[in-house]
Amino acid sequence: MKLTKLFNSDKLSLSFEVFPPKTDSAFESVKIATEEIARLKPSFMSVTYGAGGGTSQYTLDIAKNIKDSYNVPTLAHLTCVSSTKETVKAKIAAMKEAGIENVMALRGDLTPELEKTDRSTWAYRYAVDLIHDIKASGADFCIGGACYPEIHPESCNQAEDIKHLKEKVDAGCDFLTTQMFFDNNLLYNFLYKIREAGITVPVMPGVMPITNANQVERAIKLSGSFMPQRFKSLVDKFGHSPEAMKQAGIAYATDQIIDLFANGISNVHVYSMNKPDVAEKILNNLSNILG
Ligand code: FAD
């Protein structure tokens, strides 16, 4: 199923993100975790892609398994910055062959090694270049792109970031998914600004349940997200107890999701990090809301 169908419905929905294994030996355990999440019947599941290409085959394997064995629509991520034109062409063909209908078109993070090389030699500099190639391939994918309510770390200001986001959408993005954020007001402000800039495609907020104290630092480093005092207090108070932190983190994410639904958002994406218990608890918390 193409995700555009989901966005055309007013029904509230929740989707989950999983990531593929980095090594062969981890494949089975990751597959089992993703299958447990698929059994919860989320509206769809996204499967991330290793920027260096290391887990690229697994992305497709996991996405195909979820779709074919559990009848849950999947969104396969694809990054381009460290790829050649030939590799990307082959990846697009493989996704088509696997029956994938939804692709998240990403640039990928710049590694220190890559940054040392001459940018003029790169086949892909931005996600928009990948979107152009996906479109040119003739494959009829529903295409997603990433967006950043708190600005992409490389952007000098939000106006510049939104200008490039508009170029990405104009190139063929059917929807956008946001980077994680912990204060919904940042998302509402961002939505106001992008709508004003003429970006009209559906935007799916991405919510990350922080379920252990160690995740906090990593999440901030990766996303640059602002941590509200309310969230910091929660980590201060419960961070030392894994069970208490998990319960508090799930409650915080649930609260964020309920507020998003109450403010007119229909589809929320949860960065569930291959944790079926977390995905299940959030769904249970929302059982009467999701209907
Ligand atoms: P782009 O849209 O290309 O933007 C990158 C930067 O370049 C921005 O600052 C933008 O403003 C700027 N820019 C864009 N076009 C131009 C231009 N023409 N001229 C000058 N500047 C320009 N990473 C992975 O490795 N695997 C994943 O599966 C993955 N999934 C993700 C899912 C989501 C929802 C999000 C939010 C991020 C994900 N990432 C993933 C991380 C992502 O790869 C990084 O954030 C990366 O640094 C940027 O990717 P992008 O597609 O947003 O890039």
Side-chain angles (χ1 to χ4, degrees):
M1 183 193 93
K2 283 199 181 165
L3 298 188
T4 26
K5 196 168 164 197
L6 185 73
F7 301 132
N8 287 334
S9 147
D10 286 340
K11 199 174 172 304
L12 303 184
S13 80
L14 215 59
S15 49
F16 292 119
E17 180 164 294
V18 294
F19 55 83
K22 288 195 170 60
T23 58
D24 291 342
S25 58
F27 182 78
E28 225 19 65
S29 63
V30 169
K31 182 167 170 268
I32 291 168
T34 60
E35 288 178 342
E36 281 180 39
I37 296 177
R39 276 192 211 101
L40 301 170
K41 295 285 170 202
S43 59
F44 75 90
M45 284 169 70
S46 69
V47 188
T48 64
Y49 187 95
T55 58
S56 58
Q57 181 50 42
Y58 293 132
T59 296
L60 207 50
D61 291 344
I62 300 276
K64 187 169 159 44
N65 180 48
I66 294 165
K67 175 178 70 67
D68 293 349
S69 309
Y70 294 88
N71 204 20
V72 172
T74 49
L75 167 66
H77 290 206
L78 180 64
T79 65
C80 60
V81 74
S82 52
S83 297
T84 62
K85 290 275 176 182
E86 292 69 32
T87 316
V88 165
K89 202 173 166 191
K91 293 287 169 198
I92 294 170
M95 285 199 279
K96 230 171 133 178
E97 170 83 25
I100 300 292
E101 294 181 278
N102 308 290
V103 179
M104 187 73 178
L106 298 146
R107 185 195 68 180
D109 279 323
L110 304 180
T111 59
E113 297 75 46
L114 197 64
E115 292 215 63
K116 282 183 208 139
T117 63
D118 175 5
R119 285 179 189 231
S120 67
T121 63
W122 298 0
Y124 294 94
R125 290 185 68 171
Y126 302 109
V128 69
D129 306 327
L130 174 62
I131 294 165
H132 283 304
D133 280 4
I134 294 174
K135 284 287 183 192
S137 76
D140 184 23
F141 292 119
C142 168
I143 303 176
C147 64
Y148 304 83
E150 296 174 72
I151 311 181
H152 184 269
E154 288 164 39
S155 288
C156 46
N157 60 56
Q158 194 166 41
E160 197 61 21
D161 209 28
I162 292 177
K163 183 182 131 202
H164 295 308
L165 184 62
K166 172 101 172 45
E167 288 163 4
K168 200 153 77 168
V169 171
D170 290 345
C173 266
D174 296 296
F175 70 95
L176 298 167
T177 307
T178 75
Q179 179 61 283
M180 68 182 87
F181 55 89
F182 298 93
D183 176 349
N184 286 2
N185 287 325
L186 294 165
L187 188 269
Y188 301 136
N189 281 329
F190 174 70
L191 285 179
Y192 177 79
K193 286 181 184 161
I194 66 168
R195 297 308 185 211
E196 238 192 353
I199 297 174
T200 58
V201 293
V203 177
M204 228 183 341
V207 170
M208 163 83 95
I210 299 284
T211 54
N212 68 68
N214 299 338
Q215 225 182 321
V216 179
E217 203 179 316
R218 193 174 137 72
I220 299 176
K221 198 171 162 219
L222 268 177
S223 65
S225 303
F226 164 70
M227 285 281 163
Q229 187 54 46
R230 201 177 136 242
F231 188 82
K232 284 186 196 155
S233 307
L234 184 150
V235 180
D236 281 348
K237 181 78 182 166
F238 304 115
H240 66 282
S241 157
E243 284 313 312
M245 186 60 223
K246 189 183 242 186
Q247 196 165 45
I250 289 171
Y252 190 94
T254 303
D255 197 37
Q256 264 195 290
I257 297 167
I258 293 174
D259 181 73
L260 291 166
F261 284 153
N263 281 284
I265 306 283
S266 299
N267 313 103
V268 177
H269 197 51
V270 179
Y271 295 118
S272 51
M273 309 285 287
N274 297 1
K275 292 178 184 156
D277 59 329
V278 173
E280 186 169 16
K281 285 191 172 105
I282 291 179
L283 275 176
N284 287 343
N285 287 346
L286 298 167
S287 56
N288 292 332
I289 290 172
L290 291 168

